[in-house]
Amino acid sequence: QVQLVESGGGLVQAGGSLRLSCAASGNIFSINTMGWYRQAPGKQRELVAVISSGGSTRYADSVKGRFTISRDSAKNTMYLQMNNLNAEDTTIYYCNVQLGPTAWGSFLDYWGHGTQVTVSS
């Protein structure tokens, strides 16, 4: 089993910054990707940013230039530096870790419980 512990959410004024962290522990045999997703009430969960085992990154268009994803492979920890936050960034952010491939070529996804980010205007 894999455990993901998120931290760093909270309340911030528009234009401010927050840094989210996600620490993975447990039966981690091979991390393929680590990513952050967010889900507003009544909407589908959407990708915010993802980083591969090789360090490649991908961002949602809405956060490009404002958010930066990084990881500390030695600690199995991922970070999301969020700058110039606005009210549209208000929602719950979820950490995702994808392990694999397994011996059968499959990938396993694990999710954190989420951390609330609230941006006041």
Side-chain angles (χ1 to χ4, degrees):
Q1 192 66 308
V2 173
Q3 295 79 41
L4 301 178
V5 178
E6 299 144 326
S7 61
L11 173 65
V12 65
Q13 287 188 330
S17 300
L18 284 174
R19 188 192 194 207
L20 304 183
S21 299
C22 174
S25 61
N27 187 21
I28 301 172
F29 56 93
S30 178
I31 294 179
N32 183 45
T33 62
M34 300 184 79
W36 289 98
Y37 292 72
R38 63 188 183 187
Q39 186 170 19
K43 294 188 176 181
Q44 286 190 325
R45 190 168 296 187
E46 63 174 1
L47 172 71
V48 177
V50 64
I51 185 167
S52 72
S53 58
S56 300
T57 59
R58 181 160 58 96
Y59 296 91
D61 288 342
S62 59
V63 307
K64 283 181 181 177
R66 299 188 298 124
F67 291 10
T68 302
I69 190 171
S70 61
R71 62 185 285 185
D72 184 334
S73 298
K75 297 180 179 179
N76 289 328
T77 300
M78 169 181 62
Y79 307 95
L80 185 68
Q81 178 66 42
M82 306 186 292
N83 298 329
N84 194 20
L85 287 159
N86 57 58
E88 287 69 39
D89 297 317
T90 295
T91 189
I92 299 174
Y93 287 70
Y94 296 90
C95 169
N96 168 267
V97 172
Q98 185 180 82
L99 303 184
T102 67
W104 299 269
S106 61
F107 294 87
L108 306 175
D109 280 290
Y110 294 90
W111 294 91
H113 293 295
T115 184
Q116 176 71 44
V117 171
T118 303
V119 184
S120 63
S121 55

